[in-house]
């Protein structure tokens, strides 16, 4: 049964989609079967992996009860599949409001394919609306992406409060997998200060791996590839591979699937 991990932060531009894409790709390279669910109406996670002009995606699974198996797309990596998104998902926030059990719709979709994967990664939209609530209810754990920039901790308290409400009311098994520090530039005093602040605040919940600012990470989505396929020797690709290995170790799983 696949472990479901939501990549969250209601702030935009903190590296959620970059993390979802490249963590998924790195786990796939390490021989784990991965499903990446693009749960952001912008559809950037799918397009960044070369899956574009999507006519049907996760919206149809939520609203029309389409079997996700019919819409999952094979990526360039053998072990990485994608359930894509498109702009239709914007309407789901409104359309789900009057649905019974509206918070569990995504979990019901995932349950249909969960046994086919080792990991299911959800790329969440930058908000704390009903879509993100669905992701948190469906997930076993969350990774919170935090950029190493000014105001990095702004909004984190609100996010943690939302997670606590979900744990109490809808998903008591939900855990915080950890905080991932992104966009790190070791030359900047501010970046190092943010790293120290986050580690002081959240201690062992902060992953050791730092995701550094890297041109190849920024370029690779334009070519429809994760960094590890675009330039496997780039700093970004190596950072995310190390992060995948750290995540596996934290879950007592081998570095390469046996």
């Amino acid at each position: 049964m696949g472990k479901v991990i939501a990549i969250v932060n209601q702030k935009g531009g903190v590296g959620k989609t970059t993390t979802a894409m490249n963590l998924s790709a790195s786990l796939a390279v390490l021989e784990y079967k991965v499903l990446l669910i693009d749960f952001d109406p912008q559809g950037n996670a799918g397009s960044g992996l070369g899956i574009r002009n999507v006519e049907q995606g996760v919206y149809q699974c939520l609203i029309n009860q389409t079997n996700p198996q019919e819409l999952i797309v094979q990526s360039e990596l053998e072990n990485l599949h994608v359930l894509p998104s498109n702009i239709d998902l914007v309407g789901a926030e409104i359309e789900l409001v009057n649905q019974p059990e509206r918070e569990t719709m995504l979990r019901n979709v995932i349950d249909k394919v969960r046994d086919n994967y080792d990991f299911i990664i959800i790329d969440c939209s930058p908000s704390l609306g009903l879509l993100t609530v669905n992701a948190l209810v469906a997930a076993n754990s969350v990774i919170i992406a935090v950029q190493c920039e000014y105001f990095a901790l702004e909004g984190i308290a609100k996010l943690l409060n939302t997670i606590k409400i979900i744990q109490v009311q809808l998903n008591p098994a939900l855990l915080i997998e950890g905080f991932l520090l992104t966009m790190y530039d070791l030359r900047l005093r501010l970046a190092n200060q943010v790293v120290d602040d986050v580690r002081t605040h959240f201690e062992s919940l902060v992953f050791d791996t730092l995701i550094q600012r890297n041109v190849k990470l920024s370029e690779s989505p334009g070519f429809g590839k994760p960094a590890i396929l675009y330039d496997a020797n780039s700093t970004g690709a190596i950072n995310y591979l190390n992060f995948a290995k750290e995540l596996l170790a934290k879950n007592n799983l081998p570095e390469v699937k046996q």
Side-chain angles (χ1 to χ4, degrees), residues 10-63:
Q10 76 269 32
K11 285 182 71 176
V14 300
K16 285 191 302 296
T17 298
T18 300
T19 295
M21 286 170 47
N22 288 288
L23 172 60
S24 298
S26 297
L27 289 169
V29 166
L30 297 170
E31 303 292 332
Y32 287 86
K33 288 193 72 65
V34 183
L35 173 64
L36 170 59
I37 298 178
D38 189 346
F39 211 49
D40 185 338
Q42 296 175 85
N44 289 339
S47 69
L49 293 173
I51 299 161
R52 292 165 182 165
N53 302 315
V54 174
E55 293 186 9
Q56 291 197 310
V58 66
Y59 169 85
Q60 278 69 30
C61 299
L62 290 173
I63 304 301

Side-chain angles (χ1 to χ4, degrees), residues 15-256:
K16 285 191 302 296
T17 298
T18 300
T19 295
M21 286 170 47
N22 288 288
L23 172 60
S24 298
S26 297
L27 289 169
V29 166
L30 297 170
E31 303 292 332
Y32 287 86
K33 288 193 72 65
V34 183
L35 173 64
L36 170 59
I37 298 178
D38 189 346
F39 211 49
D40 185 338
Q42 296 175 85
N44 289 339
S47 69
L49 293 173
I51 299 161
R52 292 165 182 165
N53 302 315
V54 174
E55 293 186 9
Q56 291 197 310
V58 66
Y59 169 85
Q60 278 69 30
C61 299
L62 290 173
I63 304 301
N64 303 334
Q65 277 81 54
T66 303
N67 190 324
Q69 204 74 270
E70 298 173 21
L71 303 179
I72 286 171
V73 180
Q74 170 74 56
S75 79
E76 198 172 337
L77 286 164
E78 181 184 353
N79 291 316
L80 176 56
H81 295 168
V82 181
L83 180 54
S85 171
N86 59 19
I87 198 66
D88 290 349
L89 194 58
V90 169
E93 197 95 38
I94 297 164
E95 291 176 63
L96 288 174
V97 165
N98 295 318
Q99 295 278 354
E101 300 184 350
R102 61 190 180 187
E103 297 92 353
T104 61
M105 302 293 277
L106 182 60
R107 183 165 67 191
N108 296 338
V109 171
I110 288 173
D111 284 345
K112 295 173 183 175
V113 295
R114 188 189 297 261
D115 292 342
N116 300 338
Y117 299 97
D118 300 305
F119 288 95
I120 297 172
I121 309 292
I122 308 171
D123 179 32
C124 295
S125 60
S127 75
L128 288 178
L130 193 49
L131 292 180
T132 298
V133 168
N134 261 265
L136 293 174
V137 171
N140 301 115
S141 66
V142 297
I143 292 171
I144 299 169
V146 180
Q147 85 279 33
C148 296
E149 294 180 357
Y150 199 58
F151 293 137
L153 295 176
E154 190 181 61
I156 293 291
K158 188 174 182 182
L159 173 59
L160 292 176
N161 189 52
T162 299
I163 290 171
K164 190 174 290 185
I165 291 167
I166 298 293
Q167 288 169 326
V168 170
Q169 298 184 4
L170 295 163
N171 185 3
L174 181 66
L175 299 173
I176 296 176
E177 193 80 42
F179 292 80
L180 177 68
L181 291 157
T182 64
M183 303 179 187
Y184 174 66
D185 187 338
L186 55 81
R187 299 167 299 178
L188 299 179
R189 184 184 301 170
L190 174 62
N192 289 297
Q193 184 64 53
V194 170
V195 171
D196 290 344
D197 287 350
V198 174
R199 287 187 168 155
T200 299
H201 249 81
F202 299 109
E203 300 175 339
S204 61
L205 277 176
V206 184
F207 288 103
D208 292 333
T209 307
L210 295 170
I211 307 300
Q212 294 170 254
R213 281 198 176 278
N214 179 242
V215 172
K216 301 293 185 183
L217 270 182
S218 302
E219 288 178 352
S220 61
F223 291 86
K225 294 176 183 293
I228 204 162
L229 287 184
Y230 181 62
D231 184 349
N233 295 315
S234 67
T235 299
I238 292 166
N239 286 167
Y240 274 109
L241 191 61
N242 289 337
F243 174 49
K245 291 175 180 177
E246 183 179 355
L247 180 68
L248 291 168
K250 188 172 183 179
N251 284 274
N252 299 312
L253 292 167
E255 197 168 280
V256 178

